[in-house]
């Protein structure tokens, strides 16, 4: 009989991308792909989402 186990990963908060230009990346994701801007602190950081998918955009000045 096959053994079933509970999934190890319950969810994902978001995917983080290092980008060279956060403002330009926000424009691309919101204007071309339909993402919604959730938060931004230019030029270091922005958060965009589409449904349950969140993308964290970190620029050169970001601490992470």
């Amino acid at each position: 009989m096959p053994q079933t186990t509970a999934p190890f990963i319950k969810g994902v908060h978001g995917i983080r991308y290092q980008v060279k230009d956060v403002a330009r990346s926000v424009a691309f994701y919101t204007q071309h792909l339909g993402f919604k801007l959730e938060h931004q602190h230019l030029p270091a950081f922005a958060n965009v989402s589409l449904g349950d998918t969140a993308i964290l955009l970190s620029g050169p000045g970001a601490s992470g």
Side-chain angles (χ1 to χ4, degrees), residues 10-58:
K10 302 284 185 185
V12 175
H13 172 72
I15 299 165
R16 182 171 169 247
Y17 285 120
Q18 287 290 134
V19 298
K20 290 182 181 179
D21 186 330
V22 175
R24 186 174 174 194
S25 297
V26 167
F28 174 77
Y29 278 97
T30 58
Q31 295 171 12
H32 297 285
L33 301 178
F35 279 72
K36 175 184 170 189
L37 176 62
E38 298 292 341
H39 177 77
Q40 67 180 351
H41 185 73
L42 297 176
F45 172 82
N47 180 5
V48 295
S49 68
L50 182 63
D52 292 337
T53 302
I55 296 179
L56 312 171
L57 302 166
S58 298

